[in-house]
Amino acid sequence: MHDFHAKDIVMLRELWNDRKGGFHPASAPDYLPESALQRLQLGRLQAVVAHAYENVPLFRSRMEARGLNPDAIRGLEDLQNLPFTVKDDLRESYPFGLFATPMSEVVRLHASSGTTGKPTVVAYTRDDVEVWSEVMTRTLACCGLHRGDILQNAFGYGLFTGGLGAHYGAETLGATVVPASGGNTDRQIMLIRDFGVTVLACTPSYFTHLIERAAELGVDLREQPLRIGICGAEPWTDGMRQHIEQTAGIRAYDIYGLSEIIGPGVASECPEQSGLHIFEDHFYPEIIDPETGAVLPDGEEGELVITTLSKRAMPMIRYRTRDITALIREPCACGRTIRRMRRIGRRSDDMFIIRGVNVYPSQVETALLAVEGTLPHYQIILTRAHGLDQMAVEVEVTPEVFSDKVRALEDVRARLGKAIEHTLGIRVDLRLVEPRSIARSEGKAKRVQDRRNEASPG
Ligand SMILES: [Zn+2]
């Protein structure tokens, strides 16, 4: 943190002394006054734009096409004149075309699983790894972790950034890490019980699977020392959160990140659970109108765009995340001054269109979790018959409902049908299925099966 002014450091030290209860010193930038934060952001922005301009030919040519050079950044508001970066830029420059440092300075590569074709590759220098550890430490501190916590990390280790990101953050914080990685659910449950695990980090869909399996094994997670869930890597609803918190007897926090920016550690909920604090001294957020690209004011909903302010190996200037949210400028009751964003309910990538209606899986999840007797295990199946799109929702119901007389099932079906029709404005084919009949995910859940382009008898 070389670019802090001396008086900021004095102020921060006073802040630490003032605050009751420990918080990690790495969290200090979370509490910067706006003027100090903006000074820091501008200095870093000017440096990162110059670095990208000098070292990334694609960025340089796009700047030149607009008649711009790094001197054009005189204030934070000048950022909105710069070109966007999109996911296709990463694909088209596969594997190393967007790197801004020589390979001799790159100490780590990660890659995202490309659903089609080549993955997207991201790179880190030694300093980048340190920044990543710092923001993940701040994430975990934000969720209330401290020294003495035992964190079981069930995010996958490997090319996916989730596992190692959470791992380094927890170690830097001073917690004990159990690097369980994804899968092998029975062993996960054994470790939670035998080690006295207090924090579980995984995708929310895997958390629900683990809760269910624990119950089958006769392990009541509410009776374990487990107290915090760190959940991320996929959108999840407040209904899903309530289910996890109640059945596991914990507080579950939403964390946000993406490999193109750094991995997990871009933003995190705090104990207030009312939006995610963006670590905006490293990741500068903008909200744009996804159609026009115009920057929207705080409070308005649009697509989240992020500029990395400190990354060296692969700086991202105005990266379009395709996530829909809004920035919250109002102060948070936790005392942090960095801005928050609303929880991501919708990813443009997840949206599908059925009979002219835009549908997000989270809307279906919200509707079905509001109806008693359903379980948070579902999938959406899209097909086409006689040229017409059909949408089916398969959802598991509780053993009580399933084993009861036909009337209980019909009752749940009627209420669920009404809830979904009310939310989406269209009728769907509802299939209530018995517990455990939908495949469980050990990482990110695949909620939608789109079979509309498969050959069908219709
Ligand atoms: Zn807060």
Side-chain angles (χ1 to χ4, degrees):
M1 205 82 14
H2 317 286
D3 37 8
F4 271 132
H5 293 237
K7 66 174 187 182
D8 294 332
I9 292 170
V10 171
M11 183 275 305
L12 285 170
R13 201 171 292 138
E14 283 166 7
L15 242 171
W16 294 337
N17 294 337
D18 281 353
R19 295 186 67 82
K20 296 190 179 64
F23 71 83
H24 199 279
S27 297
D30 296 4
Y31 301 89
L32 275 175
E34 196 179 34
S35 59
L37 175 64
Q38 289 182 348
R39 204 162 59 226
L40 183 65
Q41 287 171 323
L42 180 58
R44 288 182 176 175
L45 177 64
Q46 288 167 329
V48 79
V49 168
H51 177 61
Y53 183 85
E54 281 155 25
N55 298 291
V56 183
L58 177 73
F59 180 67
R60 187 192 186 104
S61 65
R62 283 183 182 168
M63 287 281 280
E64 283 171 350
R66 291 168 177 236
L68 295 171
N69 65 48
D71 294 337
I73 303 287
R74 296 200 188 86
L76 287 170
E77 65 283 356
D78 295 325
L79 177 60
Q80 60 186 289
N81 302 322
L82 302 194
F84 291 117
T85 307
V86 296
K87 182 113 181 167
D88 278 345
D89 293 333
L90 277 81
R91 291 201 189 99
E92 284 158 17
S93 56
Y94 176 87
F96 304 147
L98 294 181
F99 290 11
T101 50
M103 197 52 100
S104 56
E105 287 178 35
V106 172
V107 300
R108 178 98 62 82
L109 298 176
H110 279 283
S112 75
S113 48
T115 41
T116 51
K118 299 284 191 189
T120 51
V121 180
V122 294
Y124 304 76
T125 64
R126 168 66 51 202
D127 285 349
D128 292 339
V129 170
E130 263 169 39
V131 167
W132 194 13
S133 300
E134 179 207 309
V135 290
M136 271 313 289
T137 302
R138 289 162 66 181
T139 293
L140 299 175
C142 206
C143 299
L145 266 74
H146 45 66
R147 243 169 224 282
D149 268 316
I150 303 175
L151 179 145
Q152 184 158 317
N153 188 9
F155 282 119
Y157 283 65
L159 284 175
F160 172 56
T161 51
L164 285 169
H167 183 104
Y168 277 76
E171 279 190 356
T172 308
L173 179 96
T176 307
V177 187
V178 182
S181 195
N184 206 339
T185 308
D186 287 10
R187 189 186 61 185
Q188 302 265 7
I189 293 161
M190 180 190 77
L191 296 176
I192 289 172
R193 205 177 44 181
D194 294 352
F195 290 3
V197 167
T198 59
V199 181
L200 180 65
C202 63
T203 60
S205 55
Y206 187 60
F207 211 133
T208 59
H209 172 43
L210 196 135
I211 288 168
E212 173 185 63
R213 182 65 187 145
E216 284 174 0
L217 295 172
V219 177
D220 187 345
L221 291 175
R222 287 169 296 195
E223 290 167 5
Q224 306 299 319
L226 196 63
R227 64 186 190 92
I228 290 174
I230 305 290
C231 296
E234 62 187 13
W236 51 307
T237 59
D238 285 331
M240 184 71 85
R241 190 216 297 272
Q242 273 171 22
H243 170 82
I244 291 172
E245 290 192 335
Q246 283 164 13
T247 49
I250 59 157
R251 298 289 300 281
Y253 294 105
D254 192 9
I255 67 168
Y256 175 78
L258 58 171
S259 63
E260 298 90 324
I261 297 304
I262 200 153
V266 175
S268 172
E269 278 189 327
C270 67
E272 300 298 320
Q273 291 182 325
S274 62
L276 288 79
H277 288 285
I278 302 169
F279 300 114
E280 55 172 325
D281 50 321
H282 292 297
F283 313 111
Y284 190 83
E286 297 172 281
I287 298 291
I288 62 161
D289 179 327
E291 304 297 327
T292 66
V295 175
L296 301 174
D298 286 357
E300 279 190 34
E301 190 179 80
E303 181 182 342
L304 177 67
V305 170
I306 298 177
T307 297
T308 60
L309 296 180
S310 45
K311 267 231 314 243
R312 296 297 293 174
M314 197 169 153
M316 281 286 124
I317 311 293
R318 304 197 84 203
Y319 183 73
R320 292 187 61 158
T321 65
R322 304 179 65 81
D323 288 322
I324 306 296
T325 182
L327 295 177
I328 307 169
R329 184 175 281 279
E330 289 72 34
C332 181
C334 77
R336 283 179 175 78
T337 52
I338 48 175
R339 277 177 292 175
R340 286 169 290 160
M341 63 177 194
R342 277 196 228 138
R343 294 188 69 200
I344 308 284
R346 302 189 281 138
R347 295 219 65 202
S348 319
D349 291 352
D350 293 340
M351 192 193 83
F352 55 89
I353 298 172
I354 184 107
R355 285 175 245 147
V357 178
N358 294 356
V359 178
Y360 294 88
S362 60
Q363 293 175 294
V364 176
E365 184 176 303
T366 302
L368 72 87
L369 287 180
V371 172
E372 215 172 304
T374 58
L375 294 170
H377 302 288
Y378 66 96
Q379 62 181 350
I380 298 163
I381 301 154
L382 306 178
T383 52
R384 183 170 290 144
H386 310 292
L388 200 63
D389 288 345
Q390 310 287 333
M391 172 174 164
V393 176
E394 277 186 0
V395 55
E396 292 182 11
V397 293
T398 60
E400 296 76 42
V401 169
F402 198 79
S403 62
D404 200 8
K405 298 187 188 76
V406 180
R407 259 182 67 189
L409 269 178
E410 283 312 311
D411 181 48
V412 170
R413 187 198 306 278
R415 282 185 291 136
L416 199 51
K418 208 177 277 179
I420 291 181
E421 197 176 334
H422 180 74
T423 308
L424 304 183
I426 50 172
R427 278 187 190 216
V428 304
D429 171 17
L430 263 178
R431 299 171 191 163
L432 306 187
V433 297
E434 67 182 304
R436 304 286 290 174
S437 51
I438 293 172
R440 300 296 189 250
S441 112
E442 295 184 340
K444 300 187 194 195
K446 184 150 173 44
R447 301 293 192 194
V448 182
Q449 290 188 34
D450 194 341
R451 301 177 187 155
R452 285 180 288 186
N453 291 322
E454 291 172 15
S456 75

